[in-house]
Amino acid sequence: DGGITQSPKYLFRKEGQNVTLSCEQNLNHDAMYWYRQDPGQGLRLIYYSQIVNDFQKGDIAEGYSVSREKKESFPLTVTSAQKNPTAFYLCASSYSHTSNVLTFGAGSRLTVL
Amino acid sequence: AQSVTQLGSHVSVSEGALVLLRCNYSSSVPPYLFWYVQYPNQGLQLLLKYTTGATLVKGINGFEAEFKKSETSFHLTKPSAHMSDAAEYFCAVSDLGNTPLVFGKGTRLSVIA
């Protein structure tokens, strides 16, 4: 079945360490997104990519970086510059950037110790 | 820029009662509107969407929503709540489908037996 796979599901990190969250899709979707979810804050857009080798900053990009070298993959790196990285991270994809029907992964929960 | 306001961070209803989750949006152009549902520790699933055409939109699991331009609203309803409806619900908006989705802060629905 087609879908989005996020890994790891749970991740613990010490302060000052970078960590990379994986997002892979086999839906043949052009567009991919990363959202951050905090209790009571809803989902906030970190980065999105409309096509391979191109990506744009979202509303809260500071302290994060991404790459889009393959259509299927859109990894997110949480750097040590992110002041409050503990959160639930959701990856999503859509057929194109003008199709807002998003398919979501199951999420990755990052805890900074 | 578009935005979404969901009234009520927590709504509690009895099993069999009407479910009403409120969503108001702000958009400078005709909006595309969405409702997503999230079960604990999972990603989001699309419930329904409005792009153009009929203003009353039917979705999965017996939910529906009505786009009211004059009230800038897109409230979600279900005639009879079921225990399995307990989840968090997110309203989202996009400007004509040309921008990434902007999500509201979510409403947690509890269903009491």
Side-chain angles (χ1 to χ4, degrees):
Chain A
D1 289 337
I4 296 182
T5 301
Q6 289 188 239
S7 62
K9 190 169 180 63
Y10 298 96
L11 184 62
F12 297 89
R13 187 195 92 176
K14 293 182 179 179
E15 281 192 21
Q17 289 181 334
N18 292 355
V19 62
T20 297
L21 307 181
S22 171
C23 178
E24 302 279 334
Q25 55 100 356
N26 60 3
L27 299 166
N28 199 33
H29 284 175
D30 282 335
M32 297 187 73
Y33 309 82
W34 275 105
Y35 286 91
R36 169 178 171 145
Q37 184 176 16
D38 297 282
Q41 294 296 315
L43 279 71
R44 292 179 290 169
L45 183 64
I46 305 173
Y47 270 98
Y48 65 103
S49 168
Q50 298 177 347
I51 199 168
V52 176
N53 293 321
D54 183 54
F55 49 83
Q56 287 79 40
K57 292 181 178 180
D59 299 320
I60 56 165
E62 185 175 353
Y64 299 98
S65 65
V66 294
S67 63
R68 186 84 187 279
E69 298 176 359
K70 299 187 301 181
K71 187 175 185 177
E72 301 80 19
S73 178
F74 191 41
L76 174 73
T77 297
V78 184
T79 76
S80 57
Q82 169 50 233
K83 297 304 180 187
N84 186 20
T86 294
F88 190 52
Y89 292 88
L90 287 162
C91 179
S93 69
S94 62
Y95 179 73
S96 73
H97 72 280
T98 57
S99 166
N100 297 120
V101 178
L102 301 183
T103 299
F104 281 85
S108 292
R109 186 169 298 280
L110 172 64
T111 302
V112 174
L113 304 173
Chain B
Q2 66 271 39
S3 66
V4 171
T5 300
Q6 290 186 240
L7 300 176
S9 60
H10 183 210
V11 171
S12 185
V13 301
S14 298
E15 192 174 20
L18 172 71
V19 175
L20 171 60
L21 304 182
R22 300 178 186 273
C23 172
N24 289 89
Y25 69 90
S26 171
S27 177
S28 57
V29 298
Y32 285 8
L33 295 160
F34 303 78
W35 277 99
Y36 283 82
V37 61
Q38 183 182 34
Y39 298 98
N41 295 312
Q42 295 185 24
L44 279 69
Q45 303 171 31
L46 180 68
L47 270 180
L48 49 79
K49 64 177 180 177
Y50 168 80
T51 54
T52 58
T55 57
L56 182 62
V57 180
K58 295 186 184 299
I60 61 172
N61 300 336
F63 284 94
E64 62 182 36
E66 186 170 12
F67 169 59
K68 292 187 177 180
K69 183 178 179 180
S70 61
E71 298 177 8
T72 61
S73 69
F74 191 57
H75 301 331
L76 181 71
T77 61
K78 181 174 180 178
S80 177
H82 191 272
M83 297 297 288
S84 61
D85 295 326
E88 188 148 22
Y89 292 80
F90 293 92
C91 183
V93 65
S94 172
D95 285 344
L96 279 176
N98 290 325
T99 56
L101 287 185
V102 172
F103 286 85
K105 293 186 176 182
T107 298
R108 183 165 60 91
L109 175 66
S110 297
V111 181
I112 303 169

